[in-house]
Structure formats: C-alpha cells, structure tokens
Amino acid sequence: MATNFTRKLTVEICNAKNLMPKDGQGTASAYVIVDFDGQRRRTKTIFRDLNPQWDEKLEFLVHENDSMAAETLELNVYNDKKTGKRSTFLGKVKISGSTFVKAGDDVPLVYYPLEKRSVFSQIKGEIGLKVSYFDEELPPAPAPEKSDAPPPAAAEEKPVEEEKKEEKKEEKPAEEEKKEEEKKASPEKEKKEEKPAEENAAAAAVPPPTPPPSTELEHPPIAQQKLMQEKLIPADHSKHMEIESKIFRKISSGNSDRRMAFDLVDQMPFLYVRVVKAKISNPDADSSFCAKLVIGTHSIKTKSQAANKEWDQVFAFDKEGLNSASLEVSIRAEKKVPDKDATEEISAGTVSFDLQEVPKRVPPDSPLAPQWYSLEGEGSPGNDIMLSVWVGTQADEAFQEAWQSDSGGLIPETRAKVYLSPKLWYLRLTVIQTQDLQLGSGTPGPEPKIRSPELYVKAQLGAQLFKTSRTSIGSTNPTWNEDLVFVAAEPFEPFLTVTVEDVTNGQSIGYAKVQVTTVDKRTDDKSEPRSRWFNLIGDEAHKGYAGRIHVRVCLEGGYHVLDEAAHVTSDVRATASQLSKPPIGLLEVGIRGAANLLPVKTKDGTRGTTDAYVVAKYGPKWVRTRTILDRFNPRWNEQYTWDVYDPCTVLTIGVFDNGRYKHDEADIKKDVRLGKLRVRLSTLDTNRVYVGTYSLMVLLPGGAKKMGEIEIALRFSCSSWISLIQAYANPMLPRMHYVKPLGPAQQDILRHCAMRIVTARLARSEPALGQEVVQFMLDTDMHMWSMRRSKANWFRVVGCLSRAATMIRWIDGIRTWIHPPTTVLVHVLLVAVVLCPHLILPTIFMYAFLIISLRFRYRQRVSITMDPRLSYLDGVGADELDEEFDGFPSTRSVDQVRVRYDRLRALAGRAQTLLGDIGAQGERLEALFNWRDPRATGIFVVVCLFASLMFYVVPFKAFLLGSGFYYLRHPRFRHDMPSLPLNFFRRLPPQSDRIL
C-alpha cells in the first residue's frame, strides 16, 4: 500500500548557554546552521550575547520515512563576524534519528553539550533543542487527463528499474539544456579544482553556502519522484533539493573537519592500548600486579600496584615500527623472594589480539569504550582485564598523555611541549635628587672630615645594575634628573634597590627598597607617574636614618621589549595588552620530518646516533616537538598555529639533538644544534601552502657543515585583507619608541638583559628548554665581532652598489652608441621631455608600473634556507673561524693585548651592524622591484598607477611648489610619528634574515 502522508521534522532551537567568547571582546554573536537529509536551514544572529535566545522553529522534509532512524541531524553554531571575515566555530551537535519523538504537547527540552570539531578547538557551552516529527496527509491527486494512464497504486507497484527507464525517457528532451549548463559551469569548476586541498580545508571553518545547480547528479530520491508525479512539489524545487542533498552529503561525508588540525602533515598510524584495571580472583596480599604488553620484540609494563587497583595508562606504538601481527597483554604478579634482594614474576593470565582486526578511530569520534576480557593460561581462572585497543593517529586526544614508542615512553625530556616567554616590561627609574644625606655615616672614625662629596646613585633589579653619572657639589642635596631603564618580567622581582654611594671613600651612604608590585603602570607619555620620597638606610656599620631620596618609578607598557635580534623579530606589539590590535592572520606550521641527519654522539660506545627534535619560535610562543630517538630520518608530523599581528615578522625553526635524554644529574649534557632556518612572513603568499625540504647548516670551528635536511609545511592565512594592507602604513614599533626613543646603545644593553631573563625563565620550565637552545634561537651572539659576518655585510653593500654601477655603465653605453637604436630612442625621449616637461613624472611612474608588473611572472620564489654564499662561508679562513668562536673577552693573549683586542672587537661589532643596516636599505629597495614581498610591491604598483594619473592632471610646477612648501613647513604642523612612505619602506624585507 502506498503511504498517503508526508513526514516532516521540526527542530525548535530555543537557546544556548555559556558559549565561548570569540569576537575578541568577551562576547559572541551566535547563529545556528542545521543540516538534515541534504537540507540546510539557518537561524537569525543574536548579537553580543553568550546566552542567546532564538526560539525559532525549522522544518525539514523526511524523504524516506522508513530510513529516518538512520539519518543524523547536525547543528553547527558559529560566531557571526563582520562582512569579509570568516565565521568562527562555536561548537556542534549530532543527534541520531532514532531519538526523534513524535510531535505532541510534551516534547521535552533537551540541552546538548557542544562538541569540538578538532583537538585544538576551544569550545564550551550547551544548546537547548526540541526535536519532533509529525505526519501530514497529502491532498488527493487530480484526475488524469488521459484514461490510459495507470492508477496511482499501479504506478507505485512498478519495479524501480521500470520507473528509472521511464524517467530517463522523460528526461531525454532536457539533455541538451543540461549540456549547455555544464559548459557554463565547467570554468568555475576548473577554478575550484585548481585550488589546493589545504585551502579547502582551511575554508571548512566557514559554513559552506548552498551549492549551485549541477547536472552531473543522479535522479532524485523516490519519495520526491512520487511527489513530482502527484504534482505536489514543483520540478525545479525538487531538482534543487536533490542537488543540495547530493553535494552536501559529499562534503559532510569527507573528513574536512578532521583534516583541519593536521592538514599540513601526514597522518601517522599508532596502535593505542588503554589498560584500565584488572580483576584478580585470588590475589596474594604480598604481591603486586602489573600488565605487560608484548608486540614482537616490543614490550612494556604498566606500573606495579596492589591487586584490583586501576592503572588507566595509555600506550601508543608506532605502527610502522611493529614487527608482529599480534598483541599479547598479560598480568604479572610480582612477589619478593624471601631472604633475597630479588622479585619473582608469575603469570596471572594472557589475552591476545590480532592487529588486523583492531578497529580504527579518527577524532572527533568518541573514545572507544574499554571492555572486560577473560585471561587465559595457568593460574588465571576468574581473572579478567579491562582494556581497549584501537588504531588512531597523532591527532588522537590520547596521544599526548600516552606512552610513546618512538620518543622513549613517558620521559619528560622527550615529550612535545609548548612554552611561553615571560611578559616583559621596561621599568623606568628617574633619580631626581637627595636631601639630608648623612655623609659621615659611611666613614668609620670619631669625626668625619669636611670635604666636597662626589656622589652617584646605583639601582639594582635582579641581576641588572645601572648607575647615574657622578655629581660633585659642595652641598648635601645633589640633583641628577637621570633615567635608569631596566627590564622587568612577570612575575616581578620583589624589590628594586636604590643605593647612594660616595666615590671619595668608596662607601655606601644608604639604600632604599622599592616594592615593584606597587609601581605605577603607564601606556603613553602623556600621564606623568607620581614621584615618591624614600628614606635611606645606612649600611651594616652605621644602621639608621641616612637621608632621603626623591625618585619617580613606573612600568612602561607602551614599548615593545625586544628579546631577539631586531632584524629577525617575531613580535612588535606593545607590552600593555590594551594597545594590541586584533590579529590579522594565522600562521600554521607543519613540522613533517627530517632526512639524512648526521650522527652527533655514540650509543653504547659503538655506533653513532641522533635523537632529534625541533623548536619553533614566533612571538612569545615556543613549541618543541617530541624527540624521536635513534633515527637519522625522523618523522614528527606535528602541526602548530600562531596568531599573526604583523606580516613583517620572522618565524625561526631550529633542529637539535637531545643531550639531556637519560643524563646524569651531576653531568647534564648540552643539546647539540643541527641547524636553523628562518621564514619572513611578508615573503609568503596568503592562503598558499609551502611544502619543501630545506638544508640544515651549522657553523663549527672547522667550518660550515651540512647536518641534514628538514621538511616543513607553511601556510599564512589572512583573515582581513584590509587590515593586512593597513599594516604596511603603520609604524614598525609602538608609538613610544618614536615619541620617547631609547638610544641605540641602551637598546642593545636592554635587549641582552631581556635575552638573559627569557633564557633563565625557560630553563626553569619542566622539562627545561636549555640555555644553549634559547640562545641559538634568539641569536644572542649576533652583535659579537666576526670577520666572516663583516665580510658578508660588506659584500651585501657592494652588491647593492653594483646596481648603480650597472646603471652608470648603461648610460655610458648610450653615450658611446654601443646600441644605436637605444641611443636614438633616448634622443627622442629627451626631445619629448624638453618640449613637454609636465610628462616627466607621469612617464616615470607609468614605466615603473609597466616594468614592475611585467617582472611579477619572473619573481624569485621564496627561499627559506640559509644562504651559504650570502653568509660568506666559503671565503673564511681557519684563523678567522678561531676568532669567531673565541670567547668574550679573548683568551688568546696576554692581559694588555686582550684589553686592546676586546676594545677593537666591540668597535668592529658596531661597524658590522652599521654595514648590515646600510646593506638592508639597498636590499629593501631591491625587494620592492623584485616582488619579494608581493603585497608591498602590489601596493607600490597601484600607487605608481594612481601617481601617473595624478601627475597627468596636476601640473608639475604646482606639484614642485607644493612639495617645497610641505618640506619647509613649520615644526608646529609636523607629526611626531614617522611618515607613511618611511613606514612602508622600513617594512620591506631585507636579506638580513638569511645571514647564517
């Protein structure tokens, strides 16, 4: 019998609670997208509310009544952003069709917890729903015009194959229209197929729109065909529903959500075994029990404990390294042998698993439930073990907590970790004056001599010590008005110690302690911090009141505290969080693996080995991969993300050998550097995946050496093109660096202080990030004297000047008629310029626009590896290398020569930096014309085009007069910040980040 009703599903979306704030302001603008059986509905957006109330009812047509229980209702909650920005994910819910209830007066309101889409999703909250279905009777079909047509019942009883044949015959006249539609849709389809799969995975965070009509699909479902035959659904509407159903099923059936967390790396299969607990029927009170897992030559035990206690341990075996097809899990009873310092193991039963039959699990599927298994063997009647076995990947939630076979198990020094640099502040101490100093308190003896004191003030914060200038006056109230700037890290040091000292007798007059937690914070130069008086306390010999000192102390939050070399900085934000702008993009780094690593140590005293791991640093976030033990071709396949606030920043990646693995407490070995590479984000195209293998070079006392290769994948995703373009017009550093700048020498000293603080804090982590690792990543020795670096910087300058020499030779070639057609053309151009001087600037900018635009196709691709030729590694001698690896101060000569040599090295180091800065300016100009930074060059090309049009309209004389007046304007009308062209030029990428 044919059904005379159609079934509809009603989803009432009531409200949500405790959603995750996603708009950067502590709130979220939520909306819901509901998908069922190929149909999609969307609710309205509730703006800026973490507990939104929708109260909307959405209806869906159930195509197959009998298969409704097998369908799944999926709800995705998104945060609605402004126009042009992708919506962010707030959570999802999947409801099986078997739980749907029939509509009535008592449809329950059920709150479902929001689920994650990937392991790195930050989701919380729940959503309240009422889901029910109802049956609606169909109106009687109109009487057919021809009496030859079969009755509806007979038509429904036809075999499915006959129905398909008839439908194909009816659809034949429309085949020509379908072919035309296919031709129109094919260009769009080819463009979509040209996009890399990684872009599609990244775009999966945005709910896909309703797909356009297509003609390459099969026939609509039978339920819709019946409704079409009965003329209850228009043909066009049914076709649209069919297309939407097919395409959406194709999207939802894939693993796009699962690829988002690890889409830049390969999925690595791991065999997971979770051992929960065991049930021992007749336990011995003196015995302890453990579970032993054996796969071929691999074996591992759980911790030993009393009977019937939980282990709840997870083991992850690298599936490619397994040499057996079966897993054996046994319970071992360990009992101490009387009168002997030994233990005896007795088997309490074994259970085996065929690895070919182990189920697979891919997140976000729920974890596999553990089961009880009966143990077999002698002495095992009634003994059971609860465990679960599955095959997963490194994306599994249990991977981080599991014992890992490729990284030495549960050793902390080999685990993957994320570190954060401490938040750094500049602490400014302004020493104003002192009063009522007891100058005799520091001089032993009955009566102090009357003299003219020579005083100075020194201040100490932790290991940092700075002094004011000396003041020689006849009174006891000297005045300095000098600033002493320190680097302070959260949590702060308890006290800042201020001491007044007398140079005449080398004695301390008195000291005062300033509690750092009570110091005022400011974010600009407009608010003046309050000044305070502190009583000075005498030294140990003369305790008591020794005068007082007037100071002004504040924590500067408007600066960015540099803790790495300025030309490879990865963060330029101010310390104060309220001054930071929202991120403009996302950097994703996939650390895939390494190849052909060289051995750096011996194992068992017989063969060489390498235990490699990777450290990546961008901004305050450091990531460290797990250590792959004893492999020259390790595969990490770990992926990490960073928020990008400025495109003109540098990512640093270093590879090290783990020397702290299985070390003795008394003899901690250092990690050995295997190489480093840097990536400037401005040289990367947005939303493009870069996958490649890059050489690892390291400089040793014997010369440069290739230590192997590393394979990484990069993607810089832009969330807002407007914000990305605006970044090129903003100053490189926060405003305080230009309004109240710090001197170059002072900045260099503070940078080294910040480096030491970051090194010390990361060394106190667990597991520690070694001092040698942090210093190598931060380039702490970048400003030290090196003949090799000086030569490299010099040849960089020469390389830029050679472009000017080439231009001079070209002009000389025109003058000497080496190429007559070119010389004739220049004569014609000269006559045109003389006759029409107003066309000079438009012509120059138009030529620049055309020439640079044509060079886009010949632009140099991104080169991530360190450049040995640019680093001048081939022309360095043994003595120069010895000088570069020599410590500071030098230890190669007598005391007098060492002092002079060190002074020379310090001076040469500044000259070296100056040469590098000069070379960077020429390289920036060269990068502007070579599309090294495609966005910056694109902006310049557009400016050239508009400038050519503007100078065509504006007379040159008017422009020259306006430029002169603007250049000579009164200082009152000048801004205290750098100009827009200067900001743009400083953001162009130099070659300094490629110097080894």
Side-chain angles (χ1 to χ4, degrees):
M1 295 295 294
T3 57
N4 58 350
F5 65 88
T6 176
R7 178 167 293 177
K8 292 185 178 180
L9 178 68
T10 303
V11 181
E12 183 177 353
I13 303 175
C14 301
N15 58 1
K17 298 179 180 179
N18 302 321
L19 297 180
M20 176 70 71
K22 290 284 187 176
D23 60 354
Q25 300 178 0
T27 60
S29 301
Y31 68 91
V32 184
I33 290 182
V34 187
D35 299 294
F36 177 76
D37 200 8
Q39 307 165 63
R40 169 166 290 187
R41 304 287 186 270
R42 184 188 190 278
T43 67
K44 61 185 178 181
T45 301
I46 306 298
F47 291 96
R48 300 179 64 83
D49 192 354
L50 296 179
N51 299 283
Q53 188 82 22
W54 288 284
D55 294 328
E56 290 190 38
K57 285 187 178 182
L58 306 177
E59 287 190 358
F60 300 87
L61 180 65
V62 180
H63 298 151
E64 301 270 350
N65 298 343
D66 297 335
S67 62
M68 184 185 71
E71 298 289 344
T72 302
L73 175 69
E74 183 173 350
L75 297 90
N76 289 272
V77 187
Y78 294 94
N79 171 47
D80 195 355
K81 288 192 175 181
K82 298 179 181 179
T83 306
K85 294 185 178 181
R86 295 178 177 175
S87 299
T88 52
F89 183 70
L90 293 177
K92 67 176 182 179
V93 172
K94 288 185 177 181
I95 306 174
S96 174
S98 59
T99 62
F100 298 162
V101 298
K102 196 166 185 179
D105 298 334
D106 54 349
V107 177
L109 173 62
V110 182
Y111 283 92
Y112 296 90
L114 295 175
E115 301 176 359
K116 294 183 178 182
R117 183 166 53 186
S118 66
V119 294
F120 295 113
S121 299
Q122 296 182 355
I123 301 301
K124 70 174 183 177
E126 54 186 3
I127 186 170
L129 305 172
K130 293 183 179 180
V131 184
S132 61
Y133 68 91
F134 65 93
D135 297 330
E136 186 180 66
E137 294 185 0
L138 298 176
E145 297 180 359
K146 295 182 180 181
S147 58
D148 297 337
E156 292 176 359
E157 292 176 358
K158 287 183 178 181
V160 178
E161 295 180 358
E162 295 182 4
E163 289 183 355
K164 290 184 178 180
K165 291 180 181 179
E166 291 180 1
E167 289 166 3
K168 289 181 180 179
K169 292 180 181 179
E170 294 174 0
E171 291 179 0
K172 281 183 179 179
E175 287 181 357
E176 297 179 359
E177 297 179 2
K178 292 182 179 180
K179 291 181 179 180
E180 294 179 359
E181 292 178 2
E182 287 179 359
K183 292 180 180 180
K184 294 180 181 179
S186 59
E188 298 179 359
K189 182 178 179 182
E190 292 176 359
K191 291 180 180 179
K192 292 181 179 179
E193 291 177 353
E194 290 176 359
K195 295 182 178 180
E198 289 81 3
E199 292 186 24
N200 298 333
V206 184
T210 304
S214 174
T215 57
E216 300 179 358
L217 304 176
E218 299 178 358
H219 303 296
I222 298 176
Q224 293 187 23
Q225 295 176 16
K226 296 176 181 178
L227 295 176
M228 289 173 59
Q229 292 176 1
E230 296 173 358
K231 297 183 180 180
L232 295 179
I233 299 179
D236 295 339
H237 179 67
S238 177
K239 180 180 179 182
H240 177 72
M241 291 177 62
E242 165 217 348
I243 294 167
E244 185 180 39
S245 172
K246 293 288 183 180
I247 294 182
F248 180 72
R249 284 176 182 172
K250 182 178 181 181
I251 294 175
S252 61
S253 63
N255 57 351
S256 59
D257 288 345
R258 298 169 183 171
R259 288 200 309 265
M260 287 198 63
F262 291 87
D263 60 336
L264 297 181
V265 296
D266 298 331
Q267 299 288 340
M268 297 180 63
F270 283 87
L271 175 67
Y272 289 91
V273 182
R274 179 183 291 275
V275 182
V276 182
K277 58 183 177 180
K279 187 188 299 181
I280 309 299
S281 58
N282 297 315
D284 191 349
D286 298 333
S287 299
S288 60
F289 295 84
C290 68
K292 184 177 182 181
L293 286 69
V294 179
I295 308 177
T297 58
H298 298 275
S299 64
I300 186 65
K301 292 182 180 180
T302 65
K303 56 187 178 182
S304 298
Q305 58 187 12
N308 301 323
K309 298 289 186 179
E310 286 194 6
W311 291 292
D312 197 15
Q313 288 184 250
V314 184
F315 300 88
F317 297 91
D318 185 6
K319 204 165 184 300
E320 296 181 355
L322 299 181
N323 52 9
S324 176
S326 63
L327 163 68
E328 291 185 0
V329 182
S330 59
I331 300 297
R332 297 283 182 171
E334 298 177 349
K335 187 175 181 180
K336 190 172 182 180
V337 179
D339 302 330
K340 293 184 180 180
D341 190 12
T343 57
E344 180 183 4
E345 285 191 2
I346 303 174
S347 175
T350 304
V351 60
S352 299
F353 297 90
D354 185 359
L355 298 186
Q356 302 295 331
E357 303 296 331
V358 174
K360 294 183 179 181
R361 185 238 170 186
V362 181
D365 294 347
S366 299
L368 192 66
Q371 301 180 22
W372 285 104
Y373 295 91
S374 299
L375 299 177
E376 300 177 355
E378 297 180 0
S380 64
N383 295 345
D384 298 328
I385 185 172
M386 176 182 283
L387 54 83
S388 57
V389 184
W390 72 95
V391 174
T393 64
Q394 73 271 33
D396 201 295
E397 296 90 342
F399 183 71
Q400 294 301 326
E401 63 173 306
W403 176 95
Q404 300 166 3
S405 62
D406 60 350
S407 60
L410 293 172
I411 301 174
E413 288 80 7
T414 63
R415 310 287 287 183
K417 293 292 180 182
V418 175
Y419 302 83
L420 291 177
S421 297
K423 191 173 184 180
L424 301 178
W425 295 74
Y426 282 144
L427 187 145
R428 186 185 297 272
L429 170 67
T430 304
V431 181
I432 302 175
Q433 67 174 356
T434 58
Q435 287 184 0
D436 196 20
L437 294 180
Q438 307 296 318
L439 297 179
S441 62
T443 304
E447 293 183 1
K449 298 180 180 180
I450 300 175
R451 55 189 168 76
S452 177
E454 190 175 3
L455 308 176
Y456 69 89
V457 178
K458 71 175 182 181
Q460 184 172 4
L461 179 67
Q464 304 173 65
L465 179 65
F466 296 106
K467 300 177 182 180
T468 65
S469 60
R470 298 179 180 182
T471 300
S472 179
I473 57 175
S475 66
T476 58
N477 299 326
T479 302
W480 284 275
N481 286 321
E482 291 186 25
D483 288 346
L484 301 178
V485 181
F486 302 82
V487 177
E490 294 183 358
F492 299 115
E493 296 284 343
F495 295 102
L496 169 68
T497 304
V498 182
T499 307
V500 181
E501 293 200 358
D502 187 355
V503 184
T504 307
N505 55 12
Q507 295 286 339
S508 172
I509 297 176
Y511 68 92
K513 289 188 175 181
V514 182
Q515 194 171 1
V516 180
T517 56
T518 63
V519 173
D520 298 334
K521 297 180 180 179
R522 68 171 183 173
T523 59
D524 52 31
D525 61 326
K526 298 178 182 178
S527 59
E528 189 71 19
R530 58 192 175 97
S531 60
R532 303 162 65 183
W533 287 93
F534 292 92
N535 292 333
L536 296 174
I537 304 173
D539 57 7
E540 295 181 358
H542 300 82
K543 293 184 178 180
Y545 178 75
R548 61 177 186 164
I549 186 170
H550 190 198
V551 297
R552 184 182 296 113
V553 190
C554 69
L555 288 168
E556 300 279 7
Y559 291 93
H560 169 70
V561 182
L562 287 173
D563 60 346
E564 51 195 344
H567 62 276
V568 292
T569 182
S570 60
D571 191 9
V572 293
R573 291 178 294 164
T575 301
S577 57
Q578 58 266 33
L579 298 180
S580 298
K581 297 181 179 179
I584 62 174
L586 187 70
L587 173 64
E588 298 169 88
V589 180
I591 303 173
R592 300 171 63 86
N596 304 321
L597 296 181
L598 297 182
V600 296
K601 58 187 177 184
T602 58
K603 184 177 182 180
D604 302 329
T606 56
R607 63 183 182 89
T609 183
T610 298
D611 305 325
Y613 69 92
V614 181
V615 175
K617 195 261 182 194
Y618 183 78
K621 180 180 176 181
W622 301 63
V623 299
R624 170 179 173 167
T625 67
R626 68 188 189 278
T627 301
I628 305 297
L629 301 179
D630 195 16
R631 294 187 188 178
F632 299 127
N633 298 284
R635 304 299 297 177
W636 293 284
N637 282 310
E638 299 181 21
Q639 185 170 336
Y640 300 93
T641 60
W642 286 268
D643 287 330
V644 177
Y645 296 87
D646 194 293
C648 303
T649 46
V650 177
L651 166 73
T652 304
I653 299 176
V655 185
F656 302 88
D657 172 77
N658 196 335
R660 302 170 187 268
Y661 168 62
K662 286 188 177 180
H663 65 271
D664 296 331
E665 294 294 335
D667 183 21
I668 299 178
K669 297 182 179 179
K670 294 184 177 181
D671 295 347
V672 180
R673 59 185 70 174
L674 300 180
K676 177 173 58 179
L677 57 91
R678 302 189 189 97
V679 183
R680 188 173 291 272
L681 269 60
S682 60
T683 61
L684 303 177
D685 294 334
T686 54
N687 301 321
R688 176 183 173 184
V689 177
Y690 295 84
V691 182
T693 302
Y694 309 100
S695 299
L696 295 172
M697 301 288 295
V698 65
L699 188 63
L700 301 174
K705 189 175 184 180
K706 182 179 179 181
M707 303 299 294
E709 299 171 337
I710 183 174
E711 183 183 1
I712 61 172
L714 298 168
R715 177 170 56 213
F716 172 38
S717 304
C718 174
S719 58
S720 172
W721 270 95
I722 297 177
S723 301
L724 185 62
I725 299 302
Q726 286 178 347
Y728 283 88
N730 296 330
M732 192 70 183
L733 294 171
R735 181 176 181 273
M736 285 291 290
H737 286 270
Y738 306 99
V739 177
K740 200 169 183 178
L742 302 171
Q746 187 180 25
Q747 278 190 348
D748 191 54
I749 294 173
L750 294 175
R751 182 178 62 85
H752 280 88
C753 292
M755 285 180 176
R756 287 194 293 267
I757 291 175
V758 172
T759 302
R761 292 291 179 91
L762 293 179
R764 292 165 54 187
S765 304
E766 184 59 37
L769 200 59
Q771 177 182 356
E772 66 281 2
V773 175
V774 179
Q775 291 180 351
F776 184 60
M777 297 290 290
L778 294 180
D779 289 322
T780 55
D781 60 344
M782 180 59 68
H783 293 271
M784 298 293 291
W785 165 255
S786 168
M787 182 64 73
R788 178 188 57 83
R789 288 200 191 100
S790 298
K791 289 182 179 179
N793 290 335
W794 169 253
F795 283 105
R796 288 168 59 198
V797 175
V798 172
C800 294
L801 294 178
S802 64
R803 308 293 190 278
T806 303
M807 177 65 69
I808 295 174
R809 287 195 297 268
W810 178 74
I811 296 175
D812 185 71
I814 292 175
R815 185 176 62 86
T816 55
W817 289 79
I818 294 178
H819 191 252
T822 303
T823 305
V824 172
L825 183 61
V826 171
H827 280 77
V828 175
L829 181 61
L830 179 62
V831 172
V833 168
V834 172
L835 295 180
C836 304
H838 62 280
L839 295 179
I840 295 177
L841 291 179
T843 303
I844 292 175
F845 282 106
M846 182 57 71
Y847 279 0
F849 168 74
L850 294 176
I851 293 174
I852 300 176
S853 299
L854 291 175
R855 295 182 71 176
F856 174 76
R857 59 186 299 182
Y858 304 108
R859 71 189 189 278
Q860 181 182 3
R861 297 298 179 182
V862 177
S863 181
I864 297 177
T865 55
M866 297 297 182
D867 194 337
R869 182 190 59 81
L870 191 63
S871 303
Y872 207 71
L873 296 178
D874 299 331
V876 61
D879 183 65
E880 294 172 351
L881 276 176
D882 180 73
E883 182 183 13
E884 182 171 351
F885 281 91
D886 185 16
F888 191 86
S890 175
T891 58
R892 298 294 191 267
S893 59
V894 295
D895 295 340
Q896 186 65 27
V897 177
R898 183 172 66 241
V899 171
R900 287 186 246 174
Y901 184 50
D902 292 342
R903 186 184 303 118
L904 176 62
R905 294 174 70 188
L907 181 61
R910 295 187 180 181
Q912 161 189 307
T913 304
L914 179 61
L915 286 175
D917 292 339
I918 295 174
Q921 310 311 316
E923 290 168 352
R924 285 190 174 100
L925 187 62
E926 185 180 3
L928 183 64
F929 294 89
N930 290 337
W931 291 92
R932 190 158 184 261
D933 184 348
R935 285 169 292 278
T937 308
I939 295 173
F940 181 70
V941 166
V942 174
V943 170
C944 290
L945 177 61
F946 283 100
S948 66
L949 300 177
M950 183 189 72
F951 285 114
Y952 182 82
V953 177
V954 178
F956 177 73
K957 295 180 180 180
F959 168 75
L960 188 61
L961 185 62
S963 300
F965 275 91
Y966 180 79
Y967 182 76
L968 300 174
R969 68 191 185 280
H970 193 273
R972 180 182 302 175
F973 302 102
R974 297 181 184 179
H975 200 268
D976 55 359
M977 300 295 287
S979 62
L980 189 147
L982 186 59
N983 294 332
F984 180 84
F985 182 78
R986 286 176 176 173
R987 288 178 169 276
L988 295 174
Q991 298 279 0
S992 54
D993 56 321
R994 299 175 60 198
I995 294 293
L996 186 65

